[in-house]
Amino acid sequence: MQNIRVTVVRKLLKGDLVNGSEQWLIKHAIYYNRHDLTQKNTLMFVNRSETINWEEIDKKGPSLVISDKPLEELKKALPNTTVIRVKSTLQAYWKFIEYYRGLFDIPVVALTGTCGKTTTKEMIKHMASKDWNVQASISSKNEPRQSLPYLIGIDETTKAAVFELGLGNTGNIKHQCMIYRPTIGIITNIGVHHLDGCKNLEGYIKAKSEILEGIAEDGTLIINADDDNTKKIPLHTFKGKIITIGVHSKADYKASNMQFINNGMKFTLQVAKEKYSVFVPGYGEHQVYNAVAAIVAVKEMGMSIQHAISRLKTFKPMARHLEMSTGLKGSTIVDDTWTNNPTSVEAALKVLDTIGKDKKIILILGDIKRLGLFEEKYHREIGSMVAERNIQMLITIGKRAEHIAEQAKKDGTAAEVHVFKDVAGVLELLKPKLDQDTIVLIKGPMSSRSMIEFANHLKEI
C-alpha cells in the first residue's frame, strides 16, 4: 500500500476525530471482520452492526477505525487507536476506494469467464513481470471480499495490475469493477456455472456482461469470437475498443495450424497481415485461446507481440490443470482437479481426443457443483459427450456424477462403467487396468479434497 497520513483520510472523508492522533502513516487497510487484522498502522472500516474488540485493535496500534457507530461506543477506544466518525461507513469506504484507485495511472486488467481466467491471468503476469512490478490476484482466489486487499497491494512501485473477477451471484463482477476500475477487460468464454446464484444460463450470461460497464470508457475489451454465449452479451453498449480472438471465426488475433508438440501447443498467430509462430506450454485448444488473450492484453499494456511470444515460451502451466505425470506401470495420469464445470470437462475430453489416440482411456469424473436446478441436465450432457468417444472405462464419483454414468450407458457407450459414492475402492479397480498404453483423466471439483488426494496418490504410486 502507498502510505497515507491519517489527516489526509480524515479530510477526504469529512469525518470527525473522536480519539487518538492523526499524525501517523496508514500502511494497510481492511474491512473489519471481513479481513484479518494482522499488522500495525492499519486502517479499518467498521460497520455500525459490528462488535468491536478494542483491546485487539489497540495491540496492533497505531490503528485507525472509521465508523458510523454511535459516539458513545467510539469513545471506548484505547490510547493507541485513532477513531474517525463518519456519517456512513459504506459511503466512506467507497470514497476511500475511489481516492486510492485514483492515485495510480497504470494499466489494470480484469478477467472473467467460465474457464481460463486463472491461467490467462498467470500468463499475463508472467510476461509482464520481467519488465514491471505487477500486482495480481493470488491463484484463483477471486472472491469479491478479496478485492480491497488486492487493490491496496498496488503502491507507487506498481506498473501494472491483473485481477480475476469472481462470480457467485449477480452483481459480483460489477462490485469488483467498481473497486479495480480496469482499463482492459477479458472475457475468456461463457459456458455454464454458478447457476445456483444466477438462476439460469441467461442470468449467468447477464452477470458476466457486467464487465462491460466496469471497464474505463476509453478502455479495451478482449473477447472470444468463437464463443456463442459471449455473442449474447450487449456488446453494442460498450464504449471502448473491442478486440476479438479466435480459432474458427474471423478475428483480430486469429490462431491457426495448431499442433500438439512436446509439452505444449505450437500455432500460427495472424494479426492483420503479420504472422507469428507461437509456442505455449500446456495442451489443448483452450490453452491456445488463453495464450492469445494474454498476448493481446500485454500488447495493449505496451509490450510488443514478439516480446510477448518470447516470454510465453517460459510460462509454467499451473498445477492440476491437465497436469500430466507417469503413474503405475508407466501409465499416464492427467490431473485436472483444479476446477470442474461442463466447459472444462469438454475441453479436457478434446485434449484426450488427440493425445489419447491409440491409447486406452479411463475417465474418472466427479460431481459438478453450483449448477442449481440444472444439475441433472448438464451431468447428462457430459454423459453423452463421453458416449461419443472411444473410452475403455468410465468411473464416476459422487451422487451428481451418477447422471453422467446413466446417460453414457443410455447413449450406448462401449466403456465399462462403474459408479462410486467416493474414492474408496477406485484404486483397487484401476490397478489391473494400468499399463504404458493407458491414460487416466481424473477430474473433480476443487472442493473435493478426497479426489485431489486420490489424484496425487495416482501420480506417486
Side-chain angles (χ1 to χ4, degrees):
M1 178 179 179
Q2 181 167 312
N3 296 347
I4 304 171
R5 195 162 291 278
V6 174
T7 185
V8 172
V9 173
R10 181 185 60 76
K11 291 176 181 178
L12 170 73
L13 303 181
K14 298 179 180 178
D16 298 321
L17 184 65
V18 175
N19 189 72
S21 167
E22 58 181 6
Q23 298 306 317
W24 54 273
L25 293 173
I26 300 164
K27 299 181 180 180
H28 312 281
I30 64 171
Y31 212 110
Y32 191 63
N33 282 345
R34 292 185 194 175
H35 312 111
D36 294 333
L37 173 59
T38 60
Q39 302 180 76
K40 295 179 180 294
N41 296 76
T42 296
L43 173 160
M44 63 200 80
F45 295 94
V46 182
N47 280 335
R48 178 180 286 262
S49 60
E50 296 287 355
T51 300
I52 300 179
N53 184 335
W54 291 109
E55 289 77 14
E56 176 195 36
I57 291 173
D58 209 62
K59 285 178 182 177
K60 296 293 184 183
S63 298
L64 171 60
V65 169
I66 295 174
S67 182
D68 56 4
K69 278 181 167 291
L71 188 60
E72 57 269 23
E73 170 66 17
L74 297 179
K75 285 185 175 180
K76 295 177 183 178
L78 300 174
N80 214 18
T81 302
T82 300
V83 178
I84 295 175
R85 188 168 188 264
V86 293
K87 290 182 179 179
S88 165
T89 300
L90 185 60
Q91 290 178 11
Y93 169 77
W94 284 109
K95 183 71 175 176
F96 176 78
I97 289 289
E98 180 183 26
Y99 165 77
Y100 193 81
R101 174 64 183 88
L103 294 175
F104 309 100
D105 183 16
I106 60 172
V108 175
V109 183
L111 304 92
T112 188
T114 306
C115 296
K117 295 186 297 296
T118 305
T119 296
T120 305
K121 180 255 302 179
E122 292 296 326
M123 286 179 178
I124 294 169
K125 180 183 176 184
H126 173 78
M127 290 187 283
S129 292
K130 188 171 182 180
D131 293 330
W132 305 324
N133 178 18
V134 180
Q135 166 66 354
S137 48
I138 300 168
S139 185
S140 59
K141 296 177 181 178
N142 57 27
E143 302 90 345
R145 68 183 183 88
Q146 301 282 359
S147 303
L148 174 61
Y150 287 149
L151 178 70
I152 294 302
I154 298 174
D155 63 23
E156 59 271 25
T157 70
T158 306
K159 301 302 180 186
V162 52
F163 302 118
E164 236 180 275
L165 304 177
L167 170 60
N169 297 285
T170 300
N172 286 162
I173 289 177
K174 179 179 180 180
H175 172 92
Q176 291 168 94
C177 283
M178 288 172 66
I179 294 174
Y180 297 138
R181 285 158 53 187
T183 60
I184 301 169
I186 300 174
I187 303 175
T188 56
N189 50 61
I190 303 177
V192 180
H193 210 192
H194 300 291
L195 301 189
D196 53 346
C198 299
K199 307 305 180 187
N200 53 38
L201 179 58
E202 290 70 27
Y204 181 64
I205 294 171
K206 185 177 180 181
K208 289 292 187 187
S209 71
E210 290 171 5
I211 194 174
L212 298 180
E213 295 182 14
I215 302 168
E217 285 197 5
D218 59 348
T220 300
L221 175 65
I222 301 164
I223 60 170
N224 184 339
D226 294 333
D227 186 65
D228 289 337
N229 286 335
T230 299
K231 297 172 185 175
K232 297 175 184 177
I233 67 176
L235 292 170
H236 65 279
T237 65
F238 183 66
K239 298 175 182 177
K241 175 172 64 174
I242 296 177
I243 298 177
T244 55
I245 66 170
V247 172
H248 307 289
S249 305
K250 180 181 177 182
D252 299 313
Y253 285 66
K254 184 176 176 66
S256 61
N257 303 321
M258 289 184 296
Q259 301 175 52
F260 284 71
I261 63 174
N262 190 32
N263 296 321
M265 303 295 293
K266 182 181 179 182
F267 63 94
T268 300
L269 176 63
Q270 181 159 357
V271 185
K273 295 182 180 180
E274 296 292 327
K275 289 186 178 182
Y276 305 87
S277 179
V278 185
F279 170 75
V280 58
Y283 290 117
E285 182 180 88
H286 65 283
Q287 189 75 335
V288 172
Y289 284 115
N290 295 338
V292 177
I295 289 169
V296 178
V298 295
K299 172 67 166 58
E300 290 299 297
M301 293 162 70
M303 185 182 298
S304 73
I305 294 176
Q306 287 286 19
H307 274 113
I309 291 171
S310 175
R311 291 171 187 178
L312 186 63
K313 294 176 184 177
T314 58
F315 174 73
K316 184 178 180 181
M318 299 186 65
R320 303 190 356 250
H321 285 65
L322 290 173
E323 181 182 7
M324 298 193 185
S325 306
T326 301
L328 187 66
K329 300 177 185 176
S331 59
T332 300
I333 308 301
V334 183
D335 181 354
D336 201 29
T337 55
W338 185 265
T339 190
N340 201 22
N341 57 59
T343 306
S344 66
V345 173
E346 183 176 11
L349 291 176
K350 285 182 176 180
V351 170
L352 289 182
D353 290 342
T354 298
I355 68 170
K357 285 180 180 177
D358 303 319
K359 297 280 188 178
K360 294 177 290 184
I361 297 175
I362 297 175
L363 299 181
I364 305 175
L365 303 179
D367 289 341
I368 299 177
K369 300 181 179 180
R370 305 211 64 178
L371 292 176
L373 299 174
F374 300 88
E375 278 185 353
E376 181 174 344
K377 167 183 166 63
Y378 289 110
H379 281 86
R380 287 191 177 278
E381 286 186 4
I382 291 169
S384 294
M385 283 192 279
V386 170
E388 293 171 354
R389 290 169 162 84
N390 183 22
I391 307 296
Q392 184 190 41
M393 181 183 289
L394 168 66
I395 299 170
T396 65
I397 298 176
K399 186 66 177 176
R400 300 175 180 90
E402 288 179 13
H403 295 302
I404 298 174
E406 290 170 4
Q407 191 64 40
K409 288 192 285 188
K410 184 177 180 181
D411 287 0
T413 181
E416 185 181 325
V417 179
H418 299 270
V419 174
F420 288 80
K421 292 182 179 179
D422 52 44
V423 298
V426 176
L427 184 59
E428 288 69 23
L429 174 67
L430 273 182
K431 279 183 177 180
K433 305 287 185 180
L434 300 180
D435 57 35
Q436 61 185 7
D437 293 322
T438 305
I439 295 180
V440 180
L441 169 69
I442 177 166
K443 188 155 184 60
M446 186 185 295
S447 59
S448 177
R449 179 54 51 187
S450 62
M451 285 196 73
I452 293 170
E453 290 175 352
F454 180 71
N456 287 335
H457 184 60
L458 280 180
K459 291 182 283 187
E460 291 169 358
I461 59 175

